[in-house]
Amino acid sequence: MKQQRVIIIGAGLGGLECGYILAKNGLKVTVLEREAQVGGCLQTFRRGAALFDTGFHYVGGLNEGESLHTLFSYFGLMNLPWKQLDKDCFDEVVIGKDTFRYANGHQAFAETMGTYFPKERANLKRYTAFLKQVGDGIFGVFGDGESRKRTHELLSLPAHAFLSETVGDPMLRKVLSGTSLKMELNAATLPLYTFAQINDSFIRSAWRLRGGGQQIADKLVEAIQAMGGEVKTRAAVTYIKETDGKAAGVSINDEDYLEADWIISSTHPAHTVSLVKDSKAMRSIYRNRITRLENTFGMFTANIRLKPGLLPYVNKNIYVHRPDADLWRINTARTESVLVNYSVPEPYSSTAVNIDFLTPMAWAEVKKWADFPVGRRGEDYVAFKQAKTEECIRLVEHRLPELRGAVERVFTSTPLSYQSYISSAEGCAFGIRKDCNNPMYTVLTPRTPVPNLLLTGQSLNLHGILGVSMTSFITCAEILGMDKIRKELKIEI
């Protein structure tokens, strides 16, 4: 029997995970990455003694029996140097002068929040019970029509309305939204499924990775190659050739051509559509639908290298918000919210080497520099980034008064940087914006009108490490069958 050949476009997490799954199942896999480095948002970079992550900061659900543990065990990623964040306070929410602790475990979470909001204890129990119910059913997407039905129902419900109906105290609603810079809190569009699934995974357990997210990508590449697959860098796919209504192969750098039985694209769906030339299968109505979908906002990141020995390492994340910030209608014209994330230092070290600041940034804020090449965007762009950095420091320093004196050097990135270096459309942080008012239109499936051209990545089911990992299995099920996927993961529906 002829060995089927699969070409995967993009060596981010989704592309590499699909490559791993299919290579493990005997298919001939070639992963093509246009950049010099694999990993996408998992990439790390070094500035002096400090190692910075591009987009990976922390994950949830890595304890045994939890969702990401199941997935990462399959990929052989659980023996990396994971470090669990403090269980009694893995996230700290600061709103003005008030501070609130997020604790691991649904019961502990509700009890801890109840100390701040005693009148809301019953509502907190209902809130966490709902999150747990959603999280317990996460693998239902691998089941039959009935088990997937609940997911689709939750994708059709607004998260903001659920929070307003469940929790009476406006400040508690803000606190429960206060760690959600890991998703786009859009009151009009955010599906309840997205809000519940992501928050639940972190409440179960929260983890950092000492040494950065690049280790995940490198380990997946090593495994793919060990199973007979290939991962090629500086290999830009310039078009997808269609023959008789099916994808036949890809052009690489406009120089080489590679045939395939299946093609999986982990790049943005709009970019994937643009690669399909002269298609009989892909009509203009589908192209227009994909290209008109809106992207989520991007992030401004300040990677801060610290002076040695001055700032203690903190084994939690700190989310700092202005007291008047409306977290569900983020105004990116001013800095209202900042995530402070510490990189894990070497063992036995109690001081931080570097930290990251992240704050939402709209594409419109940087669009005027989009046509300029990297490094040549002018002094006004540099000044813009410096001003944004200062806004972040001013917001954070009342919580960390020792911070300013500990800063040695700052390296910054905007949505332009993410578009330039990891091909993120408009530098979007969470892919295409899912809309609870129209989930059938905005929540994409892996299938395209070209029957052997599939999609994967954060623009489909759920974003983030957990979401992309789930979606990689959903995509591969189109080739291997869902029964095979359930057996691979050893899950029962």
Side-chain angles (χ1 to χ4, degrees):
M1 183 177 178
K2 175 179 174 289
Q3 185 183 31
Q4 287 191 303
R5 180 161 202 162
V6 181
I7 292 174
I8 298 172
I9 305 171
L13 178 63
L16 292 174
E17 288 181 331
C18 284
Y20 183 105
I21 296 166
L22 297 174
K24 186 175 181 179
N25 280 277
L27 282 74
K28 185 174 179 59
V29 170
T30 300
V31 183
L32 303 174
E33 170 56 49
R34 79 172 195 174
E35 304 296 339
Q37 184 176 350
V38 301
C41 287
L42 296 173
Q43 292 179 22
T44 56
F45 61 95
R46 188 172 292 278
R47 296 293 183 267
L51 183 71
F52 295 103
D53 270 295
T54 299
F56 175 87
H57 294 94
Y58 72 130
V59 298
L62 267 189
N63 267 334
E64 188 170 356
E66 295 173 356
S67 55
L68 193 58
H69 186 281
T70 299
L71 302 175
F72 272 16
S73 293
Y74 175 88
F75 292 118
L77 297 172
M78 285 308 303
N79 60 353
L80 293 174
W82 297 103
K83 181 175 178 60
Q84 186 166 8
L85 301 186
D86 293 343
K87 295 180 181 179
D88 62 344
C89 184
F90 68 92
D91 280 344
E92 177 184 307
V93 176
V94 181
I95 301 175
K97 297 180 180 180
D98 298 317
T99 299
F100 307 88
R101 293 180 294 118
Y102 271 43
N104 279 139
H106 297 90
Q107 182 177 342
F109 181 90
E111 290 176 352
T112 301
M113 281 295 156
T115 63
Y116 305 115
F117 302 94
K119 294 181 180 180
E120 291 283 338
R121 284 196 171 102
N123 289 336
L124 283 163
K125 288 181 180 179
R126 283 193 288 270
Y127 173 80
T128 53
F130 176 77
L131 295 191
K132 184 179 185 302
Q133 180 186 28
V134 175
D136 287 346
I138 189 170
F139 292 135
V141 295
F142 299 136
D144 55 22
E146 279 302 313
S147 63
R148 290 197 295 266
K149 183 179 179 181
R150 180 59 175 160
T151 297
H152 294 308
E153 289 175 350
L154 294 175
L155 284 167
S156 303
L157 297 174
H160 185 262
F162 160 78
L163 195 60
S164 299
E165 293 164 2
T166 305
V167 176
D169 190 306
M171 177 57 87
L172 178 55
R173 291 199 294 267
K174 184 175 282 191
V175 173
L176 295 177
S177 307
T179 66
S180 294
L181 287 180
K182 46 188 174 281
M183 69 186 84
E184 185 184 69
L185 286 187
N186 188 313
T189 61
L190 182 67
L192 178 54
Y193 178 78
T194 305
F195 179 84
Q197 200 65 267
I198 292 175
N199 278 300
D200 174 75
S201 69
F202 286 95
I203 288 174
R204 289 173 187 260
S205 63
W207 306 73
R208 288 182 181 143
L209 180 58
R210 179 183 287 112
Q214 185 69 47
Q215 297 171 94
I216 297 173
D218 291 344
K219 189 151 190 178
L220 289 170
V221 169
E222 181 183 353
I224 291 169
Q225 292 172 337
M227 292 185 289
E230 298 177 292
V231 179
K232 298 182 179 181
T233 56
R234 300 189 188 277
V237 173
T238 49
Y239 70 84
I240 297 171
K241 182 181 178 182
E242 182 184 306
T243 302
D244 298 327
K246 296 185 69 177
V250 301
S251 172
I252 306 172
N253 298 326
D254 284 330
E255 297 173 354
D256 300 319
Y257 179 76
L258 193 61
E259 294 182 343
D261 298 293
W262 292 91
I263 297 174
I264 297 174
S265 177
S266 67
T267 67
H268 191 282
H271 176 69
T272 303
V273 166
S274 73
L275 294 175
V276 183
K277 314 292 184 182
D278 304 319
S279 174
K280 294 181 179 178
M282 188 175 289
R283 305 293 186 183
S284 59
I285 188 170
Y286 179 82
R287 292 179 183 272
N288 292 337
R289 172 198 166 193
I290 297 299
T291 55
R292 288 173 182 170
L293 290 171
E294 296 179 349
N295 294 309
T296 51
F297 61 60
M299 287 286 177
F300 172 82
T301 305
N303 303 115
I304 301 176
R305 190 170 71 199
L306 300 167
K307 297 174 184 176
L310 292 186
L311 195 68
Y313 169 72
V314 175
N315 198 40
K316 62 183 175 183
N317 303 290
I318 304 174
Y319 290 81
V320 185
H321 305 280
R322 291 172 58 108
D324 59 344
D326 184 346
L327 303 185
W328 285 86
R329 292 175 177 81
I330 291 177
N331 174 18
T332 60
R334 69 171 188 173
T335 302
E336 296 187 326
S337 302
V338 176
L339 163 58
V340 183
N341 178 266
Y342 291 69
S343 294
V344 181
E346 292 302 311
Y348 310 113
S349 175
S350 61
T351 58
V353 176
N354 55 286
I355 58 175
D356 296 330
F357 288 172
L358 287 85
T359 190
M361 179 171 280
W363 176 250
E365 293 182 73
V366 294
K367 185 178 179 180
K368 65 180 179 180
W369 294 293
D371 294 331
F372 293 89
V374 176
R376 298 182 182 180
R377 290 176 177 140
E379 292 300 318
D380 56 339
Y381 181 63
V382 174
F384 168 77
K385 294 192 293 180
Q386 290 174 340
K388 182 62 74 170
T389 300
E390 178 59 25
E391 288 178 15
C392 291
I393 291 175
R394 282 203 304 267
L395 181 57
V396 169
E397 65 180 342
H398 80 273
R399 170 61 184 81
L400 299 173
E402 68 274 35
L403 169 68
R404 191 178 289 272
V407 174
E408 181 175 89
R409 190 169 177 188
V410 181
F411 309 91
T412 57
S413 59
T414 71
L416 277 177
S417 313
Y418 287 91
Q419 178 168 274
S420 298
Y421 288 106
I422 61 173
S423 305
S424 174
E426 296 183 342
C428 61
F430 313 116
I432 287 171
R433 179 177 294 131
K434 285 77 172 177
D435 188 346
C436 61
N437 303 293
N438 198 352
M440 296 296 292
Y441 188 82
T442 59
V443 181
L444 305 179
T445 71
R447 298 177 184 176
T448 73
V450 182
N452 60 333
L453 172 61
L454 304 174
L455 305 174
T456 200
Q458 68 174 357
S459 287
L460 276 65
N461 179 50
L462 188 71
H463 65 264
I465 299 294
L466 174 59
V468 170
S469 298
M470 290 283 293
T471 301
S472 68
F473 285 98
I474 295 171
T475 297
C476 291
E478 296 293 333
I479 299 174
L480 302 175
M482 192 60 80
D483 285 343
K484 179 65 173 175
I485 294 299
R486 285 194 291 266
K487 291 178 182 177
E488 292 276 302
L489 289 174
K490 300 177 182 178
I491 57 174
E492 295 182 5
I493 304 299

